[in-house]
């Protein structure tokens, strides 16, 4: 690094601390790749989120201006004001980033403490869905906010304009910036909803049970179906419907909600087997596909219990019920085996 800075003026004009941290981050990424724990490091791309990290004594040059604003002395830049979203923590490093919309953010490397349990002994089940983002066993139905109808119409209009723009033109750059602003607005609303919902659940309940879903596998694109009668051709595989379902799952923040719950309610989040939770009656335990009349209505064919389908599934999740794939047939157990206590995972 010292020889390179002496040889190149453009490199010498930058901050040595930032360049050293970039080399250390790259070295750590390469070592994790060869250890088999991370993917191969990728090249930087123009327009993607960029940033740098400040550590050491230079990270402590921060001044509180008032209740809403503070200033930080960035090497080779000077004093820069930023708006406070929370109280400044005692951090030893921070990272300055720029997103696709052109907004600059400063993040301090501090792990906040988890939220203490209320001590009431209450257990809640959370059923995640597409129409209803999160249904609680208490009967509450929570929806993740997204773009309004006007914003969705504008987004579709901009996407059509983008398809007609010439690559590399200034018009294409402006249209992409407008699309990025709408996308960032939807992401901000989703993150804000996840943060508020996870904080509320962590403060109200001692144990939070969710379905153990493999979201990465659920949101994969449909595989093509080769046509055996016509080589080189493919059969319909409903890929557009699957793509719409994938967008709905990702837009409701399934994975982010559980991730933030595990951060805020450490040790109090339990994952339950999701098999047949939507087909099982929460009152009598009868399970059949006919119980689920529609997406929103659940009516038990045995006892006649009727409830919202998502709330019924959330009650089963709260009870920690993990059923087998044999429907009403119990699992075969050896007669010589001693009785075991019923547990939930």
């Amino acid at each position: 690094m010292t020889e390179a800075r002496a040889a190149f003026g453009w490199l010498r004009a930058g901050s040595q601390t930032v360049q050293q941290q970039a080399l250390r981050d790259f070295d750590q990424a390469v070592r994790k790749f060869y250890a088999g724990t991370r993917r191969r490091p990728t090249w930087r791309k123009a327009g993607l989120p960029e940033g740098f990290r400040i550590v050491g004594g230079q990270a402590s040059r921060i001044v509180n201006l008032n209740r809403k604003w503070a200033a930080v002395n960035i090497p080779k830049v000077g004093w820069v004001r930023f708006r406070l979203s929370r109280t400044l923590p005692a951090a030893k490093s921070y990272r300055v980033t720029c997103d696709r919309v052109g907004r600059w953010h400063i993040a301090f490397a501090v792990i906040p403490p988890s939220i203490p349990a209320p001590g009431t002994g209450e257990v809640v089940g959370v059923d995640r869905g597409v129409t209803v983002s999160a249904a609680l066993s208490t009967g509450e139905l929570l929806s993740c906010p997204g773009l309004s109808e006007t914003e969705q119409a504008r987004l579709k209009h901009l996407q059509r304009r983008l398809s007609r723009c010439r690559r590399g033109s200034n018009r294409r750059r402006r249209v992409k910036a407008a699309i990025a602003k709408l996308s960032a607005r939807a992401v901000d609303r989703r993150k804000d909803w996840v943060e508020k919902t996870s904080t509320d659940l962590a403060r109200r309940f001692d144990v939070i049970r969710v379905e153990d879903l493999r979201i990465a596998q659920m949101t994969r694109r449909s595989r093509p179906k080769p046509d055996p009668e016509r080589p080189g051709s493919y059969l319909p595989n409903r890929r557009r419907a699957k793509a719409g379902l994938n967008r709905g799952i990702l837009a409701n923040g399934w994975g982010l909600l559980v991730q933030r719950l595990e951060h805020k309610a450490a040790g109090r989040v339990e994952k339950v087997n999701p098999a047949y939770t939507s087909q099982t009656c929460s009152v009598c335990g009868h399970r059949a596909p006919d119980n689920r009349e529609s997406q929103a209505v659940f009516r038990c064919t045995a006892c006649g219990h009727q409830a919202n389908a998502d709330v019924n599934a959330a009650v089963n999740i709260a009870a920690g019920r993990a059923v087998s794939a044999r429907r009403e047939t119990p699992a075969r157990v050896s007669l010589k085996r001693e009785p075991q206590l019923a547990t939930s995972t």
Side-chain angles (χ1 to χ4, degrees), residues 277-292:
T277 53
S278 61
Q279 299 179 5
T280 305
C281 179
S282 59
V283 176
C284 66
H286 175 72
R287 176 168 52 84
D290 297 336
N291 290 346
R292 187 83 179 256

Side-chain angles (χ1 to χ4, degrees), residues 8 43-44 67 74 115 117 120 141 143 245 260 263 265 288 345:
F8 301 98
W43 293 97
R44 287 195 169 212
R67 186 171 58 90
I74 300 178
I115 299 175
T120 58
L141 302 177
S143 296
L245 177 62
R260 295 301 293 152
H263 292 164
T345 55

Side-chain angles (χ1 to χ4, degrees), residues 89-107:
K92 296 182 180 180
S93 65
Y94 62 84
R95 180 178 291 274
V96 179
T97 57
C98 179
D99 58 14
R100 296 189 180 186
V101 192
R103 300 177 302 182
W104 290 90
H105 304 271
I106 179 169

Side-chain angles (χ1 to χ4, degrees), residues 124-125 132 134-142 204 308 310-312 314-315:
V124 67
V132 178
L136 307 184
S137 56
T138 57
E140 302 175 54
L141 302 177
L142 309 177
R204 290 168 53 192
N308 183 279
D310 297 325
V311 174
N312 178 81
V315 174

